[in-house]
Amino acid sequence: MLSHFGRALRALAAVAALSAALAPASAHEGHDHGEQPAVSTGALPRGEADSDIFEIVAVVRGDHLEIHLDRFATNEPVTGAVLEVETPGGSATATENGDGTYRLPAPWLAKNGRTDLIFTVTVGDATDILPMTIQTAREAAQSAVQGDASAHGEHIGKASFLPALGGLLAGTLLTAIALRGKRAAAIVVLLAALTGVRGTKAHEGHGHEEDKAQVAISAVSGERAQRLPDGTVFVPKTVQRIFALRTLVAEQAKHRKVTELPGRIIPDPNASGYVQSAVGGRLSAPPEGFPRLGTRVKQGDILGYVTPPIQAIDISDMRQRQGELDQQISIVERRFARYEQLAPSGAISRTQLEDTRLELEGLRERRASIEKSRREPEPLIAPVAGVIAEGSAVAGQIVQPSSIVFNIIDPARLWVEALSFENIEPSQGARASTYTGRNYDLIYRGTGFADRSQSVPVHFAVTGDTAGLRAGQFLTVLAGTDETKEGLAVPRSSVVRGSNGQDFVYEHVAPERFMARSVRTEPLDGDRVLIVSGFAPGKRIVSQGADLLDHVR
């Protein structure tokens, strides 16, 4: 009898131990806290609404609403609008702050956790009605706590199942050994009770402080831009104002294909010129000095002098020639004096007298020119009006014949020389883009007929303002062709290049949310690119401030 009792007691103890061990573990694993509320992207409760014309975000700030009103397509703040709001307290009109934001007193927010509003927006002739719902953080937290309490009740029911099962097994075993003795029955009952009590205590000891902490931290501190776990970028309207974010609605259309050519700035050949020396000699400055770089000069201005050097043999020849001329001048002067005395008496004709006088004047001019050539330098005269682009004149410098002393360029008349590997005549015009992103309109002037390093030079004239350009500056020429291609034309500032070299743009998916989309682009013109894949037409794309969104973490 004792042996049967011992075996039954050991079996019952094993069952009770198994029930006691599984009860708390199963209770924790079966505990379901329910779906946690989504983490708020801002510390302040807000509501948003949009239509085809306007976009509204209302932020709860204490006892009033801060309302941001923007254009739906461009994200530009709307000023001068009339906002009439149907509230739980009746109809009210928001006051404008002057920067696209409006203020509306909202004492009824403290009474209701969920508030339904209807905005009537009037801007000029446009009127739109936008419904909105604002749910405060207080009600959201209470809903989360109530949901957790319901899950906690379900958890208690599930956790009590295993202890009951242990008691059932104990009762079955008790019936089997009832005939063996009352002491065994008492022990079995005690073990079963202890099993149930332990399972219950194990669950009662499980606290929900962690769940309460999760609800407490469900709001993110501060109105700041941040990248959310789903990949979107949350940017409050206040930050969008700082970033100056602008959008556009991408439209599918056909655009003329553009050929990209390397080019450089050259001066207009009809508005530029070189100042060169015709003879070799020594430079000397005019009375006002040599012109500095960037100095504006007029056509005909004297920019310097070149004094040719005279060799010793040249001086000897010139002196010999001067002596011969002086001798001839002396002979002709005496002849002319005699003729003047004889002319009145008629011994000498008036014609002989005039010929002698003319001969004397010619000899004197030849004598003066030789003397002048020894002393007078060659003036350097500006051939065109413009500014001094290049010049290295120094007083006393020796220059050779045909040396370029100054280069004069008219900065308002510049050309672009591009190199093409095929013969093109851009009938659709062209644009030039510098490394800083500035663009200039070009007019086609002509294409060379001779190859230059396996390429053909193509000349364009810069139209409009030429500020920021200088001769020799390299740039990119985008010449339009007759070939067309279909895609979405967006500004170059919309495209951001990632660390992996992939181009992507930001889609404005919600009033305060943006999503990055990988795209494939091709150059279109000076300030636009063509999205050929990766983005659907009709959606809003960030056209200004995309690089700032890329830095949000």
Side-chain angles (χ1 to χ4, degrees), residues 222-354:
E223 289 278 294
R224 59 184 180 86
Q226 53 187 305
R227 194 173 295 272
L228 302 181
D230 60 355
T232 60
V233 180
F234 171 77
V235 185
K237 281 296 182 180
T238 53
V239 181
Q240 293 184 34
R241 298 284 201 273
I242 298 174
F243 286 177
L245 297 182
R246 297 293 181 266
T247 62
L248 58 85
V249 179
E251 297 181 357
Q252 189 85 1
K254 289 185 178 181
H255 304 272
R256 295 188 181 275
K257 190 176 180 181
V258 174
T259 300
E260 188 171 340
L261 307 174
R264 66 184 181 93
I265 297 294
I266 61 174
D268 186 344
N270 298 318
S272 63
Y274 291 130
V275 179
Q276 295 178 280
S277 173
V279 296
R282 191 180 302 276
L283 279 176
S284 59
E288 62 274 9
F290 289 117
R292 300 183 303 274
L293 292 177
T295 303
R296 184 169 291 276
V297 297
K298 296 181 295 182
Q299 185 178 3
D301 288 350
I302 297 178
L303 309 181
Y305 296 96
V306 177
T307 303
I310 301 177
Q311 303 295 332
I313 186 172
D314 295 333
I315 295 176
S316 177
D317 292 341
M318 292 174 65
R319 287 178 178 177
Q320 181 180 356
R321 185 59 179 163
Q322 287 177 353
E324 294 175 354
L325 291 174
D326 290 342
Q327 185 180 3
Q328 293 178 7
I329 291 172
S330 179
I331 294 173
V332 175
E333 284 179 347
R334 288 195 298 268
R335 186 193 307 163
F336 181 71
R338 287 197 310 268
Y339 285 173
E340 282 184 330
Q341 294 176 359
L342 297 174
S345 62
I348 298 297
S349 65
R350 182 62 63 178
T351 302
Q352 288 179 327
L353 179 63
E354 289 296 328

Side-chain angles (χ1 to χ4, degrees), residues 38-202:
V39 177
S40 174
T41 55
L44 300 177
R46 64 188 64 231
E48 58 186 36
D50 56 49
S51 65
D52 294 337
I53 305 176
F54 301 112
E55 184 176 75
I56 288 183
V57 173
V59 182
V60 178
R61 294 187 180 274
D63 59 350
H64 70 277
L65 286 180
E66 182 182 84
I67 304 170
H68 300 264
L69 179 63
D70 298 330
R71 297 282 181 184
F72 178 80
T74 62
N75 202 47
E76 293 178 346
V78 178
T79 58
V82 177
L83 266 68
E84 298 179 355
V85 187
E86 294 295 333
T87 70
S91 179
T93 302
T95 58
E96 183 178 2
N97 294 330
D99 56 350
T101 61
Y102 300 80
R103 178 188 175 93
L104 179 68
W108 27 264
L109 284 174
K111 302 177 181 179
N112 301 315
R114 177 187 176 91
T115 305
D116 294 325
L117 305 175
I118 299 178
F119 289 84
T120 302
V121 183
T122 303
V123 180
D125 297 335
T127 302
D128 205 351
I129 299 176
L130 296 94
M132 178 188 298
T133 299
I134 298 179
Q135 184 170 339
T136 60
R138 175 178 59 82
E139 183 184 73
Q142 290 178 353
S143 300
V145 172
Q146 292 174 358
D148 185 73
S150 301
H152 180 67
E154 296 177 0
H155 167 76
I156 294 176
K158 295 178 181 178
S160 61
F161 172 73
L162 284 178
L165 178 60
L168 178 61
L169 293 176
T172 303
L173 185 59
L174 178 62
T175 304
I177 62 173
L179 299 177
R180 299 296 184 181
K182 296 181 180 180
R183 292 182 59 187
I187 294 175
V188 170
V189 172
L190 179 61
L191 289 176
L194 290 176
T195 302
V197 170
R198 180 176 179 181
T200 304
K201 293 295 183 181

Side-chain angles (χ1 to χ4, degrees), residues 468-552:
L469 296 178
R470 61 185 185 277
Q473 180 179 357
F474 291 97
L475 38 72
T476 301
V477 176
L478 301 172
T481 63
D482 293 332
E483 183 180 354
T484 60
K485 197 159 190 178
E486 191 170 0
L488 308 175
V490 298
R492 288 180 177 267
S493 58
S494 297
V495 182
V496 180
R497 177 156 295 183
S499 58
N500 59 351
Q502 175 67 42
D503 292 338
F504 60 92
V505 296
Y506 279 95
E507 179 189 353
H508 196 182
V509 296
E512 295 183 319
R513 289 178 184 265
F514 301 83
M515 173 65 77
R517 307 290 187 188
S518 298
V519 295
R520 183 167 63 88
T521 63
E522 292 182 0
L524 182 58
D525 52 33
D527 52 6
R528 295 186 303 169
V529 297
L530 192 67
I531 298 179
V532 295
S533 65
F535 200 85
K539 296 183 178 180
R540 293 182 295 173
I541 188 173
V542 176
S543 59
Q544 177 180 309
D547 53 339
L548 298 176
L549 291 179
D550 186 42
H551 289 81
V552 175

